[in-house]
Amino acid sequence: RMWGSAASGGAESVGDGAAGVDAHVRSSVESGVSAGFQMACGSGPLCEEPLWGVAFELQARLALAPGNANDGMDGSADGSVDAPRRSVELREDVYGPFSGQVMAAVCSACRRAVLEAEPRLVEAMYLAQVQSGAEALSGVYAVLSRRRSRVLREEMREGSDTFLVHAYLPVSESFGLADEMRRRCSGAASVSLLLSHWERLQVDPFFV
């Protein structure tokens, strides 16, 4: 059993359960699972974008064929009998390295699991601070509302007629903001932007 998070881009083994399996097979499974998980996290099923805020719990299961009864029944000095060895038919001459087979299967499984969980896209948000005079305040709100902004608060600077408006603004809507703000407010407003957070879009990416 392995666990991992998309933020770290890695997977760790937290269990064994593979007694009697060849060391090459165990190593191939562990490396293949880790590589497949990282590949799925680096290029998710939505727009091939990296995954964010996602965790997986992976269980790798091997279909093991019992070995020959005479091969694994070796008597020891105290009369005990060793456990029979279990074999795995890798077919690496046909399908390539076993770790690569595991990697492709895990990557596909992780991407499918994400789709089953109804994923959503996220967009980057700026914290916008607009400084404006009272006469240009209506123009400020007109520009912000046209760009899908969410106003947080408005406050007046003490001892002056200057207003400060704080709002969340999608990064994709920020292009040309300063020019439009200056044009609509006749130069009486200025804006500063600071990257704030990522916000989940509540729109189904598969809706047509």
Side-chain angles (χ1 to χ4, degrees), residues 106-185:
V106 170
C107 178
S108 177
C110 288
R111 290 167 64 99
R112 180 61 182 272
V114 172
L115 291 177
E116 292 291 334
E118 299 182 356
R120 293 292 184 267
L121 294 170
V122 295
E123 65 176 345
M125 302 292 289
Y126 277 136
L127 175 61
Q129 178 176 294
V130 184
Q131 182 173 311
S132 167
E135 70 281 358
L137 204 56
S138 60
V140 169
Y141 279 102
V143 174
L144 292 178
S145 62
R146 199 180 70 81
R147 293 174 176 264
R148 296 194 294 122
S149 295
R150 186 168 76 252
V151 177
L152 302 177
R153 64 183 182 275
E154 173 193 317
E155 55 190 24
M156 185 176 184
R157 181 169 291 176
E158 187 176 354
S160 69
D161 63 347
T162 301
F163 286 84
L164 293 178
V165 179
H166 300 264
Y168 284 139
L169 173 72
V171 172
S172 60
E173 300 287 347
S174 65
F175 300 102
L177 174 64
D179 292 337
E180 184 180 4
M181 190 75 70
R182 189 163 45 247
R183 186 172 60 254
R184 292 291 298 269
C185 301

Side-chain angles (χ1 to χ4, degrees), residues 172-205:
S172 60
E173 300 287 347
S174 65
F175 300 102
L177 174 64
D179 292 337
E180 184 180 4
M181 190 75 70
R182 189 163 45 247
R183 186 172 60 254
R184 292 291 298 269
C185 301
S186 302
S190 61
V191 59
S192 61
L193 302 175
L194 177 67
L195 184 62
S196 174
H197 63 282
W198 294 82
E199 194 165 293
R200 179 185 174 101
L201 293 175
Q202 299 301 327
V203 179
D204 187 352

Side-chain angles (χ1 to χ4, degrees), residues 67-124:
N68 190 301
N70 295 328
D71 292 342
M73 305 294 287
D74 296 330
S76 60
D78 58 358
S80 62
V81 179
D82 295 336
R85 292 191 298 269
R86 295 180 290 178
S87 61
V88 180
E89 188 176 359
L90 301 182
R91 302 293 297 275
E92 292 184 317
D93 55 330
V94 178
Y95 302 110
F98 186 57
S99 59
Q101 301 177 41
V102 175
M103 178 182 66
V106 170
C107 178
S108 177
C110 288
R111 290 167 64 99
R112 180 61 182 272
V114 172
L115 291 177
E116 292 291 334
E118 299 182 356
R120 293 292 184 267
L121 294 170
V122 295
E123 65 176 345

